Amino acid sequence: MPADRLMPTPESADLIALTRELVDDKLRPRVDEAERTATFPRDVFTLLGRAGLLGLPYPEELGGGGQPYEVYLQVVEEIASAWAAVGVGVSVHALSCFGLFEAGTDEQRRRWLPDMLGGDLLGAYCLSEAHAGSDPAAMRTKAVRQGDDYVITGAKAWTTHGGQADFYKVMARTSDEKGRGISCFLVPADADGLTADVPEQKMGLMSSTTATMLFDGVRVPAERRLGAEGQGLAIALACLDAGRLGIAAVAVGVAQGALDAAVAYAKEREAFGRAIIDHQGLGFLLADMAAAVDSARATYLHAARLKDAGRPYGRAASVAKLVATDNAMKVTTDAVQVLGGAGYTKDFPVERYMRETKVMQIFEGTNQIQRLVISRHLK
């Protein structure tokens, strides 16, 4: 059953209707095969771009949709309810564009954003390193100034769309000053010396390629630096606040999909002469799952509305990411339980939902980091 949404405008309600149509016609029929074969669906992102869904939170004059985050995130949720890997990809792409929009010059925005937001160019985000995940200030990848260029050397781990993207937003060290010695660069995928390592073998999100990106003396023109030298970590952390909302929306979408599958099964499967949804033990479990989905959705919408109002939303974003992903892990696990032995097989999608959700408690800042952020705000 589709989520009952209260959209802010008739236009945004039409966007949800368009998204649901695309999801049902173009995404649902392909997801099982793509996940089974670990096939990256590049054409799906082009389709979403052509439909105007890839750049929704950015201004129309730059090729975006001019929509508030409240609307954009609900579109992401609808996509993720059918295909989590694509939902994550949309969020990562928006994150990859964020630094250019926030810190780029007018000329940089006009030059690159329209193709990025229109689906012609797909983005990736390079922040983490093997030894620097939760502590990005410990990164070692360096960018050394040489005349009008920077030369980047190092490796960036856990890159979503690694080896598939057309551009990479890269954080690299330009001085030894820990947090203030990092700068941000927009690196094209065809730059000499930039290669993708063998993709990671993951437990979920099989159709989303994740790889370490290797920078072997990659020469990048200085005009591709976003913001000033030393501003990179601030750009990265601001991006993460927005990215956490994207992952919260993805998690709610997956949880909604798992709830829908569990309810449909419980209405058809009979035990002791009646549908199992009519047994109180099962009915109450489904009720708790529904409450978890609804409450998680409310947390990310609250954070989005703060962001749209121009108010501080970092704490609310961490709350949303924490609540949505923890709730989704519980809901997807319970969905497997509702289906019993059938839920443990690949005949039904709930085992995939459970596998996909686990990583959402880890990326865009682990949920332990979210608790740290929240506690610091309380202090």
Side-chain angles (χ1 to χ4, degrees):
M1 177 185 297
D4 185 15
R5 302 192 184 279
L6 183 62
M7 303 305 293
T9 63
E11 180 187 9
S12 61
D14 290 342
L15 275 172
I16 291 295
L18 169 64
T19 303
R20 287 175 174 168
E21 181 180 347
L22 284 174
V23 163
D24 289 340
D25 291 349
K26 304 297 184 182
L27 272 63
R28 290 191 197 279
R30 293 180 52 181
V31 58
D32 289 337
E33 178 67 10
E35 287 294 313
R36 185 184 67 80
T37 59
T39 301
F40 182 74
R42 180 63 178 86
D43 63 304
V44 169
F45 292 100
T46 302
L47 172 68
L48 294 175
R50 295 289 183 268
L53 301 180
L54 207 56
L56 284 176
Y58 293 99
E60 291 178 283
E61 60 268 24
L62 293 172
Q67 292 296 312
Y69 247 69
E70 174 187 1
V71 172
Y72 156 68
L73 292 175
Q74 292 185 83
V75 167
V76 171
E77 183 196 328
E78 289 286 344
I79 292 169
S81 69
W83 197 339
V86 175
V88 168
V90 172
S91 178
V92 167
H93 178 75
L95 190 66
S96 303
C97 299
F98 187 92
L100 174 57
F101 177 70
E102 290 292 323
T105 65
D106 288 342
E107 195 278 331
Q108 287 174 322
R109 294 190 195 102
R110 287 193 298 268
R111 182 175 176 183
W112 293 309
L113 263 180
D115 286 342
M116 292 157 66
L117 301 180
D120 292 327
L121 299 177
L122 184 66
Y125 181 72
C126 295
L127 175 63
S128 294
E129 298 181 7
H131 57 278
S134 295
D135 181 15
M139 71 175 62
R140 297 172 187 163
T141 296
K142 289 188 175 181
V144 178
R145 185 73 182 250
Q146 292 185 1
D148 292 334
D149 299 331
Y150 287 87
V151 178
I152 303 178
T153 303
K156 289 293 182 178
W158 310 113
T159 304
T160 300
H161 301 162
Q164 302 286 351
D166 301 297
F167 68 92
Y168 296 84
K169 190 174 76 172
V170 180
M171 305 300 163
R173 183 164 296 287
T174 46
S175 81
D176 293 332
E177 202 173 1
K178 194 175 180 183
R180 293 186 291 273
I182 296 166
S183 301
C184 180
F185 302 89
L186 198 63
V187 181
D190 60 359
D192 290 340
L194 176 58
T195 56
D197 206 347
V198 177
E200 304 291 348
Q201 298 297 305
K202 310 189 297 291
M203 70 182 284
L205 301 178
M206 305 304 191
S207 62
S208 176
T209 306
T210 306
T212 294
M213 298 305 299
L214 307 174
F215 295 80
D216 183 11
V218 175
R219 188 171 291 273
V220 180
E223 66 180 8
R224 283 184 168 268
R225 189 190 71 219
L226 303 179
E229 273 201 8
Q231 194 181 350
L233 189 59
I235 294 171
L237 295 179
C239 290
L240 286 179
D241 282 340
R244 285 164 182 163
L245 294 184
I247 295 308
V250 171
V252 173
V254 177
Q256 182 71 59
L259 173 63
D260 291 344
V263 169
Y265 185 86
K267 289 162 67 174
E268 294 179 2
R269 177 80 162 88
E270 290 189 356
F272 306 105
R274 54 179 175 164
I276 62 174
I277 198 171
D278 292 325
H279 294 279
Q280 191 176 81
L282 232 298
F284 280 14
L285 179 61
L286 290 165
D288 286 343
M289 292 164 64
V293 174
D294 288 355
S295 60
R297 181 178 294 117
T299 61
Y300 88 63
L301 286 175
H302 169 67
R305 287 162 183 155
L306 288 175
K307 176 173 169 50
D308 290 334
R311 293 173 58 179
Y313 71 99
R315 175 177 177 270
S318 286
V319 170
K321 198 269 186 184
L322 171 66
V323 169
T325 58
D326 279 356
N327 281 12
M329 193 72 252
K330 180 68 164 60
V331 168
T332 55
T333 303
D334 286 346
V336 173
Q337 191 72 21
V338 170
L339 271 69
Y344 199 66
T345 72
K346 294 185 184 295
D347 294 336
F348 294 87
V350 290
E351 60 83 28
R352 170 165 62 83
Y353 296 151
M354 186 176 76
R355 288 186 289 104
E356 290 171 336
T357 301
K358 183 59 207 175
V359 74
M360 297 174 198
Q361 296 177 299
I362 298 171
F363 58 21
E364 300 292 358
T366 66
N367 283 7
Q368 286 68 37
I369 289 294
Q370 306 314 316
R371 290 175 170 89
L372 179 62
V373 171
I374 296 164
S375 66
R376 285 177 175 173
H377 275 280
L378 292 174
K379 180 180 177 181

